[in-house]
Amino acid sequence: MEELFLSRTRPWDPSLISSLTGVGPGPSAHDKRLALRAALAGTVARRDRPITPLVLPGATDALGARLVEDAGFAAVYATGAGLANAGFGLPDLGLISQSEVADHAGRLAEATRIPLVCDADTGYGGPLAVMRTVRLLERAGVAGLQLEDQEMPKRCGHFDSHTLIPAGHMQTKIAAACEARTDDALVIIARTDARSAYGIDEAIERGRAYAEAGADVLFVEAPRTVAELALAGRELAGTPLIVNVVEGGRTPQLEPAEYAELGFGVVLFANYLMRSMHLAGREALAHLAERGETASRADRMASWEERQSLFNLPAFSAAETALDRELGRIE
Protein backbone atom coordinates (compact mmCIF):
# COMPACT_ATOMS: atom_id res chain seq x y z
CA MET A 1 0.00 0.00 0.00
CA GLU A 2 2.85 2.40 0.89
CA GLU A 3 4.67 1.66 -2.38
CA LEU A 4 1.48 2.36 -4.33
CA PHE A 5 1.02 5.66 -2.46
CA LEU A 6 4.58 6.75 -3.19
CA SER A 7 4.31 5.83 -6.84
CA ARG A 8 1.24 8.03 -7.16
CA THR A 9 2.59 11.01 -5.23
CA ARG A 10 6.21 10.94 -6.45
CA PRO A 11 6.06 9.72 -10.05
CA TRP A 12 9.12 11.78 -11.09
CA ASP A 13 12.79 10.95 -11.37
CA PRO A 14 14.44 11.96 -8.04
CA SER A 15 17.33 13.54 -9.94
CA LEU A 16 14.89 16.11 -11.27
CA ILE A 17 14.80 17.96 -7.95
CA SER A 18 18.20 17.06 -6.53
CA SER A 19 19.76 20.36 -7.64
CA LEU A 20 16.95 22.65 -6.49
CA THR A 21 18.72 24.34 -3.57
CA GLY A 22 16.19 25.82 -1.16
CA VAL A 23 13.37 23.59 -2.41
CA GLY A 24 14.72 20.15 -3.20
CA PRO A 25 16.73 17.79 -1.00
CA GLY A 26 20.20 18.85 0.06
CA PRO A 27 22.84 18.23 2.71
CA SER A 28 21.39 18.05 6.21
CA ALA A 29 22.37 20.61 8.83
CA HIS A 30 24.30 17.84 10.60
CA ASP A 31 26.22 16.99 7.43
CA LYS A 32 27.11 20.65 6.96
CA ARG A 33 28.38 20.80 10.54
CA LEU A 34 30.56 17.77 9.95
CA ALA A 35 31.89 19.41 6.78
CA LEU A 36 32.77 22.54 8.75
CA ARG A 37 34.53 20.50 11.42
CA ALA A 38 36.51 18.66 8.74
CA ALA A 39 37.61 21.99 7.25
CA LEU A 40 38.56 23.31 10.69
CA ALA A 41 40.65 20.22 11.41
CA GLY A 42 43.08 21.34 8.73
CA THR A 43 43.51 24.77 10.31
CA VAL A 44 45.51 23.44 13.27
CA ALA A 45 49.17 22.59 12.75
CA ARG A 46 50.25 19.01 13.42
CA ARG A 47 53.68 17.41 13.53
CA ASP A 48 53.14 15.79 10.16
CA ARG A 49 51.55 18.74 8.35
CA PRO A 50 51.31 22.53 8.39
CA ILE A 51 48.10 24.54 8.59
CA THR A 52 45.77 24.54 5.60
CA PRO A 53 44.08 27.97 5.76
CA LEU A 54 40.29 28.17 5.58
CA VAL A 55 39.32 31.42 3.86
CA LEU A 56 35.88 32.40 5.13
CA PRO A 57 34.06 35.14 3.19
CA GLY A 58 31.12 36.96 4.73
CA ALA A 59 27.72 37.51 3.16
CA THR A 60 24.85 39.81 4.05
CA ASP A 61 22.10 37.98 2.16
CA ALA A 62 21.23 34.87 0.17
CA LEU A 63 22.65 36.39 -3.01
CA GLY A 64 26.00 36.87 -1.31
CA ALA A 65 25.93 33.38 0.19
CA ARG A 66 25.22 31.90 -3.25
CA LEU A 67 28.10 33.89 -4.75
CA VAL A 68 30.46 32.58 -2.05
CA GLU A 69 29.42 29.01 -2.79
CA ASP A 70 29.63 29.55 -6.56
CA ALA A 71 33.19 30.86 -6.13
CA GLY A 72 34.22 27.55 -4.57
CA PHE A 73 34.69 28.48 -0.92
CA ALA A 74 34.17 25.75 1.68
CA ALA A 75 31.95 27.80 4.02
CA VAL A 76 30.25 31.19 4.33
CA TYR A 77 29.96 33.61 7.24
CA ALA A 78 26.73 35.46 8.10
CA THR A 79 28.19 38.79 9.16
CA GLY A 80 26.47 40.63 11.98
CA ALA A 81 27.88 44.01 10.97
CA GLY A 82 26.85 43.34 7.40
CA LEU A 83 23.32 42.42 8.44
CA ALA A 84 23.00 45.64 10.44
CA ASN A 85 24.36 47.71 7.55
CA ALA A 86 22.77 46.01 4.54
CA GLY A 87 19.62 44.59 6.10
CA PHE A 88 18.60 47.50 8.34
CA GLY A 89 20.71 50.50 7.31
CA LEU A 90 22.18 50.68 10.82
CA PRO A 91 25.72 50.78 12.24
CA ASP A 92 27.14 47.77 14.06
CA LEU A 93 26.17 48.82 17.58
CA GLY A 94 24.20 45.81 18.81
CA LEU A 95 20.84 47.02 17.52
CA ILE A 96 19.73 43.80 15.78
CA SER A 97 17.74 41.31 17.84
CA GLN A 98 18.06 37.59 18.49
CA SER A 99 14.98 36.65 16.47
CA GLU A 100 15.97 38.87 13.53
CA VAL A 101 19.37 37.19 13.33
CA ALA A 102 17.88 33.69 13.59
CA ASP A 103 15.39 34.42 10.82
CA HIS A 104 18.14 35.84 8.63
CA ALA A 105 20.46 32.88 9.30
CA GLY A 106 17.75 30.44 8.29
CA ARG A 107 17.40 32.08 4.88
CA LEU A 108 21.14 31.97 4.25
CA ALA A 109 21.47 28.37 5.43
CA GLU A 110 18.68 27.33 3.06
CA ALA A 111 20.26 29.17 0.14
CA THR A 112 23.50 27.15 -0.02
CA ARG A 113 24.85 23.64 0.30
CA ILE A 114 27.97 24.78 2.12
CA PRO A 115 28.20 25.31 5.91
CA LEU A 116 27.06 28.64 7.34
CA VAL A 117 28.83 30.24 10.31
CA CYS A 118 26.64 32.84 12.03
CA ASP A 119 27.75 35.86 14.03
CA ALA A 120 25.55 35.75 17.15
CA ASP A 121 27.09 38.81 18.84
CA THR A 122 26.89 38.44 22.65
CA GLY A 123 24.21 35.75 22.49
CA TYR A 124 21.73 38.56 23.26
CA GLY A 125 21.94 38.33 27.04
CA GLY A 126 23.17 36.11 29.85
CA PRO A 127 23.65 32.34 29.86
CA LEU A 128 19.94 31.53 29.51
CA ALA A 129 19.59 33.90 26.56
CA VAL A 130 22.66 32.27 25.01
CA MET A 131 21.05 28.85 25.37
CA ARG A 132 17.95 30.05 23.56
CA THR A 133 20.11 31.67 20.86
CA VAL A 134 21.88 28.36 20.30
CA ARG A 135 18.57 26.51 19.99
CA LEU A 136 17.17 29.07 17.54
CA LEU A 137 20.27 29.09 15.35
CA GLU A 138 20.60 25.32 15.49
CA ARG A 139 17.03 24.99 14.19
CA ALA A 140 17.85 27.59 11.54
CA GLY A 141 20.47 25.20 10.18
CA VAL A 142 23.72 26.98 10.97
CA ALA A 143 26.89 24.92 11.14
CA GLY A 144 28.65 27.17 13.62
CA LEU A 145 27.93 30.25 15.70
CA GLN A 146 30.11 32.94 17.21
CA LEU A 147 29.71 34.47 20.68
CA GLU A 148 31.70 37.42 22.01
CA ASP A 149 32.59 38.74 25.45
CA GLN A 150 31.45 42.35 25.14
CA GLU A 151 28.75 43.83 27.32
CA MET A 152 25.46 44.62 25.65
CA PRO A 153 25.05 46.65 23.53
CA LYS A 154 28.15 45.46 21.70
CA ARG A 155 30.24 47.40 19.19
CA CYS A 156 32.21 46.45 16.09
CA GLY A 157 35.58 45.05 17.15
CA HIS A 158 37.43 47.69 15.14
CA PHE A 159 35.57 50.57 16.80
CA ASP A 160 36.74 52.22 20.04
CA SER A 161 35.46 52.02 23.63
CA HIS A 162 34.66 48.35 24.23
CA THR A 163 33.36 47.17 27.59
CA LEU A 164 33.71 43.47 28.40
CA ILE A 165 31.94 41.11 30.78
CA PRO A 166 34.12 39.24 33.31
CA ALA A 167 35.99 36.30 31.81
CA GLY A 168 34.30 33.89 34.22
CA HIS A 169 30.87 35.04 33.08
CA MET A 170 31.85 34.44 29.46
CA GLN A 171 33.06 30.97 30.39
CA THR A 172 29.62 30.27 31.83
CA LYS A 173 27.98 31.50 28.63
CA ILE A 174 30.20 29.25 26.52
CA ALA A 175 29.49 26.24 28.73
CA ALA A 176 25.76 27.01 28.53
CA ALA A 177 25.98 27.21 24.75
CA CYS A 178 27.64 23.81 24.58
CA GLU A 179 25.00 22.36 26.87
CA ALA A 180 22.13 23.81 24.83
CA ARG A 181 23.09 22.32 21.48
CA THR A 182 21.30 19.13 20.56
CA ASP A 183 23.80 18.32 17.82
CA ASP A 184 27.32 17.99 19.18
CA ALA A 185 28.65 18.72 15.70
CA LEU A 186 27.48 22.35 15.98
CA VAL A 187 30.64 24.48 16.21
CA ILE A 188 30.87 27.02 19.05
CA ILE A 189 33.22 29.94 18.38
CA ALA A 190 34.32 32.22 21.23
CA ARG A 191 35.47 35.72 20.36
CA THR A 192 37.29 38.07 22.72
CA ASP A 193 37.59 41.81 22.28
CA ALA A 194 40.04 42.06 25.16
CA ARG A 195 42.88 43.35 22.96
CA SER A 196 41.03 46.62 22.49
CA ALA A 197 40.01 46.97 26.14
CA TYR A 198 42.97 45.50 28.06
CA GLY A 199 45.78 44.45 25.73
CA ILE A 200 46.99 41.33 23.95
CA ASP A 201 48.02 39.46 27.11
CA GLU A 202 44.49 39.63 28.50
CA ALA A 203 43.12 38.52 25.14
CA ILE A 204 45.34 35.45 25.20
CA GLU A 205 44.41 34.67 28.80
CA ARG A 206 40.73 34.88 27.94
CA GLY A 207 41.27 32.71 24.88
CA ARG A 208 42.70 29.96 27.07
CA ALA A 209 39.79 30.28 29.50
CA TYR A 210 37.22 30.08 26.71
CA ALA A 211 38.81 26.98 25.23
CA GLU A 212 38.71 25.37 28.68
CA ALA A 213 34.99 26.22 28.88
CA GLY A 214 34.34 24.24 25.70
CA ALA A 215 34.78 26.59 22.74
CA ASP A 216 35.71 24.73 19.56
CA VAL A 217 37.30 27.75 17.88
CA LEU A 218 38.87 30.96 19.23
CA PHE A 219 38.53 34.40 17.66
CA VAL A 220 40.99 36.97 18.98
CA GLU A 221 39.68 40.24 17.59
CA ALA A 222 41.87 43.08 16.32
CA PRO A 223 45.51 42.25 17.14
CA ARG A 224 47.48 45.37 16.21
CA THR A 225 50.78 44.00 14.90
CA VAL A 226 52.39 40.95 13.34
CA ALA A 227 54.18 40.40 16.66
CA GLU A 228 50.84 40.29 18.48
CA LEU A 229 49.46 37.84 15.93
CA ALA A 230 52.52 35.63 16.39
CA LEU A 231 52.21 35.75 20.18
CA ALA A 232 48.53 34.82 20.14
CA GLY A 233 49.14 32.08 17.59
CA ARG A 234 51.92 30.59 19.66
CA GLU A 235 50.18 30.82 23.03
CA LEU A 236 46.84 29.48 21.78
CA ALA A 237 48.22 26.76 19.51
CA GLY A 238 46.17 23.58 19.33
CA THR A 239 42.79 25.27 18.86
CA PRO A 240 41.57 26.66 15.52
CA LEU A 241 42.15 30.42 15.49
CA ILE A 242 40.29 33.07 13.49
CA VAL A 243 41.84 36.29 12.25
CA ASN A 244 39.40 38.96 11.10
CA VAL A 245 40.69 40.86 8.06
CA VAL A 246 39.07 44.29 8.07
CA GLU A 247 40.26 46.42 5.18
CA GLY A 248 41.36 49.69 6.77
CA GLY A 249 40.99 48.16 10.24
CA ARG A 250 43.52 47.54 12.98
CA THR A 251 44.88 44.10 12.13
CA PRO A 252 47.75 43.88 9.61
CA GLN A 253 46.63 42.63 6.19
CA LEU A 254 48.65 39.58 5.19
CA GLU A 255 48.32 36.65 2.82
CA PRO A 256 46.40 33.60 4.13
CA ALA A 257 49.63 31.57 4.12
CA GLU A 258 51.30 34.23 6.27
CA TYR A 259 48.46 34.15 8.79
CA ALA A 260 48.77 30.35 8.82
CA GLU A 261 52.48 30.60 9.61
CA LEU A 262 51.52 32.78 12.58
CA GLY A 263 49.03 30.14 13.80
CA PHE A 264 45.77 31.57 12.42
CA GLY A 265 44.16 28.97 10.18
CA VAL A 266 40.76 30.63 9.62
CA VAL A 267 41.03 33.86 7.65
CA LEU A 268 37.75 35.77 7.88
CA PHE A 269 36.84 38.43 5.31
CA ALA A 270 33.55 39.36 6.95
CA ASN A 271 32.55 42.37 4.89
CA TYR A 272 34.80 42.33 1.83
CA LEU A 273 31.94 41.24 -0.42
CA MET A 274 29.50 43.81 0.98
CA ARG A 275 31.99 46.65 0.64
CA SER A 276 32.84 45.61 -2.91
CA MET A 277 29.15 45.51 -3.83
CA HIS A 278 28.69 48.87 -2.09
CA LEU A 279 31.24 50.54 -4.36
CA ALA A 280 30.00 48.76 -7.49
CA GLY A 281 26.44 49.84 -6.69
CA ARG A 282 27.45 53.44 -6.10
CA GLU A 283 29.33 53.55 -9.41
CA ALA A 284 26.38 51.96 -11.25
CA LEU A 285 23.89 54.47 -9.84
CA ALA A 286 26.19 57.40 -10.60
CA HIS A 287 26.30 56.23 -14.20
CA LEU A 288 22.50 55.97 -14.33
CA ALA A 289 22.07 59.42 -12.78
CA GLU A 290 24.48 60.99 -15.24
CA ARG A 291 23.57 59.10 -18.42
CA GLY A 292 19.98 58.05 -17.86
CA GLU A 293 20.65 54.66 -19.46
CA THR A 294 22.34 51.34 -18.65
CA ALA A 295 23.07 49.85 -22.07
CA SER A 296 26.56 51.36 -22.28
CA ARG A 297 27.45 49.73 -18.96
CA ALA A 298 26.21 46.24 -19.78
CA ASP A 299 29.72 44.80 -19.54
CA ARG A 300 29.93 45.96 -15.90
CA MET A 301 26.97 43.94 -14.66
CA ALA A 302 25.98 40.28 -14.61
CA SER A 303 24.27 39.20 -17.79
CA TRP A 304 20.66 38.02 -17.75
CA GLU A 305 21.91 34.45 -18.26
CA GLU A 306 24.48 34.70 -15.45
CA ARG A 307 21.85 35.99 -13.04
CA GLN A 308 19.39 33.19 -13.80
CA SER A 309 22.13 30.56 -13.74
CA LEU A 310 23.22 31.59 -10.23
CA PHE A 311 19.71 30.91 -8.97
CA ASN A 312 19.33 27.77 -11.10
CA LEU A 313 16.30 28.94 -13.06
CA PRO A 314 16.70 26.33 -15.85
CA ALA A 315 16.52 23.41 -13.39
CA PHE A 316 13.59 24.97 -11.51
CA SER A 317 11.72 25.56 -14.77
CA ALA A 318 12.32 22.02 -15.97
CA ALA A 319 11.19 20.57 -12.64
CA GLU A 320 8.09 22.76 -12.56
CA THR A 321 7.06 21.68 -16.04
CA ALA A 322 7.72 17.99 -15.39
CA LEU A 323 5.93 17.91 -12.03
CA ASP A 324 2.89 19.73 -13.37
CA ARG A 325 2.69 17.32 -16.29
CA GLU A 326 3.03 14.27 -14.04
CA LEU A 327 0.30 15.48 -11.72
CA GLY A 328 -2.09 16.03 -14.59
CA ARG A 329 -2.22 19.81 -14.72
CA ILE A 330 -0.60 19.96 -18.17
CA GLU A 331 -1.94 17.86 -21.02
Side-chain angles (χ1 to χ4, degrees):
M1 188 66 176
E2 181 180 358
E3 291 180 359
L4 178 62
F5 173 77
L6 290 176
S7 69
R8 288 178 176 173
T9 57
R10 291 191 302 183
W12 55 83
D13 182 347
S15 65
L16 185 68
I17 60 173
S18 62
S19 65
L20 306 184
T21 303
V23 173
S28 68
H30 177 71
D31 287 342
K32 290 181 180 180
R33 291 163 191 154
L34 293 179
L36 178 61
R37 285 187 173 271
L40 289 170
T43 68
V44 179
R46 307 294 184 194
R47 289 183 178 180
D48 58 338
R49 61 166 173 77
I51 285 175
T52 301
L54 171 63
V55 176
L56 185 60
T60 62
D61 55 19
L63 166 61
R66 190 66 66 81
L67 287 171
V68 170
E69 180 180 19
D70 195 55
F73 291 98
V76 60
Y77 179 81
T79 159
L83 172 60
N85 295 165
F88 295 88
L90 295 170
D92 184 22
L93 295 174
L95 300 172
I96 312 305
S97 71
Q98 178 189 63
S99 59
E100 288 169 330
V101 169
D103 182 61
H104 176 68
R107 288 194 296 271
L108 267 64
E110 278 286 302
T112 71
R113 293 171 177 262
I114 59 176
L116 176 75
V117 177
C118 183
D119 180 358
D121 287 343
T122 64
Y124 312 101
L128 292 178
V130 166
M131 295 179 78
R132 184 164 185 264
T133 297
V134 170
R135 298 297 290 270
L136 289 173
L137 291 177
E138 190 177 48
R139 288 200 296 271
V142 308
L145 61 92
Q146 169 197 313
L147 301 167
E148 62 194 59
D149 57 5
Q150 289 191 46
E151 285 188 354
M152 294 177 66
K154 55 87 63 175
R155 302 171 63 83
C156 169
H158 290 251
F159 290 174
D160 293 320
S161 303
H162 300 104
T163 305
L164 274 55
I165 63 174
H169 191 194
M170 183 63 178
Q171 283 186 296
T172 301
K173 291 172 72 168
I174 294 167
C178 294
E179 186 70 21
R181 60 186 170 188
T182 60
D183 183 356
D184 288 340
L186 179 69
V187 175
I188 304 296
I189 301 166
R191 167 178 146 176
T192 179
D193 286 83
R195 169 59 188 90
S196 176
Y198 305 117
I200 192 64
D201 291 337
E202 175 69 12
I204 291 170
E205 192 63 31
R206 283 182 176 240
R208 289 197 192 97
Y210 301 166
E212 290 174 2
D216 300 299
V217 180
L218 297 177
F219 182 165
V220 178
E221 176 66 301
R224 301 294 200 272
T225 65
V226 171
E228 289 188 359
L229 285 164
L231 179 62
R234 184 169 60 251
E235 294 296 322
L236 299 173
T239 301
L241 298 178
I242 294 177
V243 59
N244 186 18
V245 182
V246 177
E247 299 81 6
R250 294 176 171 175
T251 299
Q253 288 188 246
L254 309 174
E255 297 291 328
E258 294 177 294
Y259 286 124
E261 289 178 1
L262 296 170
F264 289 79
V266 183
V267 187
L268 173 62
F269 293 87
N271 290 294
Y272 165 72
L273 178 59
M274 179 190 71
R275 291 171 64 178
S276 297
M277 295 173 79
H278 176 172
L279 181 58
R282 173 175 286 176
E283 291 174 349
L285 291 171
H287 174 95
L288 180 60
E290 179 183 353
R291 304 284 187 87
E293 52 80 30
T294 60
S296 65
R297 204 174 182 275
D299 62 342
R300 301 292 303 279
M301 68 179 80
S303 69
W304 173 267
E305 292 77 16
E306 288 171 329
R307 173 189 169 192
Q308 305 310 330
S309 176
L310 181 65
F311 299 105
N312 211 6
L313 176 64
F316 273 85
S317 296
E320 184 178 51
T321 298
L323 296 182
D324 283 345
R325 180 181 296 114
E326 292 287 358
L327 294 176
R329 288 191 287 270
I330 295 178
E331 296 299 331

